[in-house]
Structures are given as C-alpha cells and as structure tokens.
Amino acid sequence: MEGSSSQNVVKFEALENADLHIDAIYLGGSAGNISDEPLNKLVPGLSNAGGFRQIVKVANKPKRVRLCALVSSGSDPDWPDNLDQERGIYTYYGDNRKAGNHDMHSTSRGGNVILRDAFANLHTNKRELIPPFLIFEKEPMRGFAYKFKGLAVPGVNGLGPSEDLVAIWKSDANNNRFLNYRSRFTVLNVESISRS
C-alpha cells in the first residue's frame, strides 16, 4: 500500500493518492487544528466533522447524496455503533443523540434524513438512489486518525423494513425522552476500494 508501513498505516502526506483498504489506519496531520482531519483528504468533498459526512450532488433537484461516510468513535455506551465482523453487519445510530429536538429528522448534519431516505429507497426498490456508505472508526489515542471498516449498503438479509431501520426511544438523565434511529447495514466483501 502506497504511503503505508507493514501495519497498514497511511501517513497524512500520502492520503491524496491512497486507496481504501479494510482495517488500514489513515493518520491525520500535525498542525494541531481541524486541518489535521484526514478523511476529506482521503475522499475529496467530504466534510471534516461529524458522524455523517456526505458528498451531495445538487445539480439535480432534489439534492442527492452521492456518497456518505459513517464515522464513529466506537466508544459511546449510549450509542454503541459496532461491526459484527463474523456476520458483516454494521449497527449505526442516527444523529439525534440528545433530548430537546422534537423532530428526529431536524439535525444539523441531516444524518437521520440520510438514513430514512436510503432505507426507504431500499424498500421501494430505488437502489440507484442509494449512496455507497464508507465506514470509519476513530482510532483512540491517535488524534485525528481513522480505521476503515468497510463498504456498506443499507439492510441485512433476513431483516424486513420494520427491523433494519428502527426509531428507538431514549431518555436523558432528566428523563426527557427523544427518538433516534438504529440502522443495520451489510458490509460488502470488498477488501479494497480503488481511488479511481
């Protein structure tokens, strides 16, 4: 892998020419600010913050998400995003993660709208409108660094429309209730994705 060592680590300086490889770690820069964020260098057009990082095509109306990176810390006990590596199922929670927002689809990053629309397109057989999803998990203790976990598509074999995207209730410390999504994706058996 270009720009990497035997541990599949890609340095910040090599991101603009790097391919995506399962379990490779993509390092951030050393400036000490948000410009160290590696994902928008790795995938041009992605934003540099948040759990839902999308590339949107706005030429056609309505706007359409062309690609979405799902980014997780992997360490939030209230929202346990996780990859079942044996079954290739990724569970990811939406972005309405705090009480106070009465409409779970009105979030600053629009993540729950992305989930709602992707799964609706799956269940109405409009697959051409579903963006590919790239899964990244933050590497603890490494600053801006992420591990690529795979290429995913909405849905799981054997789960129906009422099971693969579910609105769930949560309560905060003050017993304020709110809704968020729990989504299930299938991680495809793709070891690497070419930059082209």
Side-chain angles (χ1 to χ4, degrees):
M1 175 189 314
E2 186 175 327
S4 69
S5 72
S6 60
Q7 298 174 335
N8 290 331
V9 174
V10 180
K11 295 179 180 174
F12 187 71
E13 300 77 29
L15 292 175
E16 293 178 350
N17 297 311
D19 295 333
L20 291 172
H21 298 278
I22 295 293
D23 291 335
I25 296 170
Y26 298 89
L27 299 178
S30 58
N33 58 42
I34 196 68
S35 69
D36 292 341
E37 175 61 42
L39 295 185
N40 63 348
K41 304 269 190 296
L42 184 62
V43 183
L46 286 182
S47 62
N48 57 8
F52 288 87
R53 304 186 191 190
Q54 56 190 298
I55 296 175
V56 178
K57 183 175 184 179
V58 292
N60 299 337
K61 301 291 181 188
K63 76 175 187 175
R64 185 171 144 216
V65 177
R66 294 180 51 215
L67 181 135
C68 184
L70 302 176
V71 181
S72 176
S73 69
S75 62
D76 187 340
D78 292 329
W79 305 104
D81 303 327
N82 70 77
L83 173 61
D84 179 335
Q85 294 189 29
E86 291 180 11
R87 296 177 20 194
I89 298 172
Y90 186 63
T91 301
Y92 192 77
Y93 291 86
D95 61 350
N96 192 40
R97 296 186 172 203
K98 292 184 179 161
N101 189 0
H102 298 293
D103 178 4
M104 68 187 273
H105 298 107
S106 291
T107 59
S108 62
R109 312 273 322 156
N112 279 351
V113 171
I114 294 170
L115 292 176
R116 179 196 67 197
D117 292 351
F119 282 84
N121 287 329
L122 170 69
H123 297 303
T124 56
N125 208 22
K126 296 178 184 170
R127 293 175 185 241
E128 71 279 2
L129 299 177
I130 300 172
F133 288 86
L134 304 174
I135 300 170
F136 292 93
E137 192 169 286
K138 184 139 180 50
E139 276 291 289
M141 310 298 289
R142 291 188 99 154
F144 287 105
Y146 298 91
K147 183 181 279 191
F148 179 59
K149 303 302 280 185
L151 171 65
V153 294
V156 173
N157 247 352
L159 293 184
S162 63
E163 300 167 298
D164 56 11
L165 181 67
V166 178
I168 59 170
W169 284 102
K170 283 277 192 173
S171 297
D172 67 10
N174 298 319
N175 279 337
N176 296 312
R177 296 181 64 198
F178 61 102
L179 282 169
N180 196 16
Y181 279 130
R182 180 187 67 218
S183 60
R184 299 274 167 79
F185 290 82
T186 297
V187 178
L188 302 179
N189 187 15
V190 176
E191 289 287 322
S192 62
I193 301 170
S194 161
R195 184 164 201 80
S196 62

